[in-house]
Amino acid sequence: CEGLVAQGAKVVSLSRSGAPKLTAPWVSEVRWQSGDVLSTDLDRIMAGADAVISAIGTIGTADDETGNGATNEAAAKAARKANAKRFVLVSASKDVAEAGVDAIFGPYVKGKRRAEAAVAEQFGANGVILQPSFIYGGEEFSATPPRVAGWYGEKVESLLSTGIFRGVAAASPAALRLALSPPLAVEDVAAAAVAGAAGLAQGTLSNHDAIKAAR
């Protein structure tokens, strides 16, 4: 939201929590709405939207397929109905699926696949899909959802971006490649999403470097 406000956009944000507990000047420039995408009147929320960014997702819940799939299907369908020109989806690296972790994260992977398919169906070439591996940011560590603090993630990103780690990752199977993929700062992912909403980034940004380059 902060990046969109900085670009002069009129921003409406829908989330279960509503307005954040922040005092930054940009916060007052956003119209904050509290609600669940599966039960909220999305026609009202998205009326007049030029672009929609979805960072909807769950992991480790009782129904991650719905939390990642049905939710984004509803958002993409509503955005198309509202005649939005572009739709940006924050998804996940394809290495998550290829790493063979379906036994643990099967519903999560299925949900992400459904979300990406919905964007492709509703928006075609005007859909932008971001596929980061891990995203870091903030000041705290968290297990649910998985998150590392900004200062720590920055060090890990710097280390895994070096040539030796990139070389090992490129020659590794998906599970190890995923573990060795440089994480991305939440600010970089947000900037790429803003670029996609503005029509400055297109297609599927499937790795760390593509997402960084789009910002």
Side-chain angles (χ1 to χ4, degrees):
C1 291
E2 182 179 7
L4 290 168
V5 170
Q7 295 296 320
K10 294 181 180 180
V11 184
V12 178
S13 171
L14 173 67
S15 67
R16 289 179 176 176
S17 57
K21 296 179 180 179
L22 298 173
T23 58
W26 64 268
V27 175
S28 63
E29 300 296 322
V30 178
R31 181 156 65 91
W32 303 97
Q33 301 286 307
S34 177
D36 188 311
V37 71
L38 293 177
S39 58
T40 298
D41 181 1
L42 296 181
D43 291 346
R44 176 181 62 83
I45 296 291
M46 295 188 183
D50 288 323
V52 173
I53 297 173
S54 174
I56 304 169
T58 63
I59 187 168
T61 70
D63 191 358
D64 281 341
E65 183 172 352
T66 294
N68 292 283
T71 51
N72 281 297
E73 288 169 344
K77 185 176 181 179
R80 178 76 283 167
K81 184 179 178 182
N83 293 317
K85 299 179 179 68
R86 292 172 291 278
F87 192 101
V88 182
L89 172 69
V90 180
S91 187
S93 170
K94 61 182 182 300
D95 284 338
V96 174
E98 295 175 4
V101 295
D102 285 12
I104 302 174
F105 297 113
Y108 172 85
V109 171
K110 289 179 181 177
K112 292 298 186 185
R113 286 174 174 166
R114 284 175 57 180
E116 293 186 6
V119 175
E121 178 184 356
Q122 297 294 338
F123 283 88
N126 292 319
V128 180
I129 298 173
L130 311 183
Q131 295 180 329
S133 54
F134 301 100
I135 301 174
Y136 66 85
E139 299 178 357
E140 299 179 352
F141 290 81
S142 170
T144 52
R147 181 186 301 120
V148 299
W151 65 268
Y152 182 83
E154 186 176 356
K155 293 180 183 299
V156 174
E157 180 183 11
S158 178
L159 178 64
L160 295 183
S161 294
T162 58
I164 185 170
F165 280 101
R166 285 180 177 265
V168 172
S172 298
L176 184 56
R177 187 167 65 244
L178 178 64
L180 294 176
S181 296
L184 281 151
V186 64
E187 293 84 359
D188 289 332
V189 177
V194 170
L200 301 177
Q202 296 179 328
T204 298
L205 308 184
S206 61
N207 56 54
H208 171 274
D209 291 352
I211 292 172
K212 292 271 281 193
R215 56 166 297 161

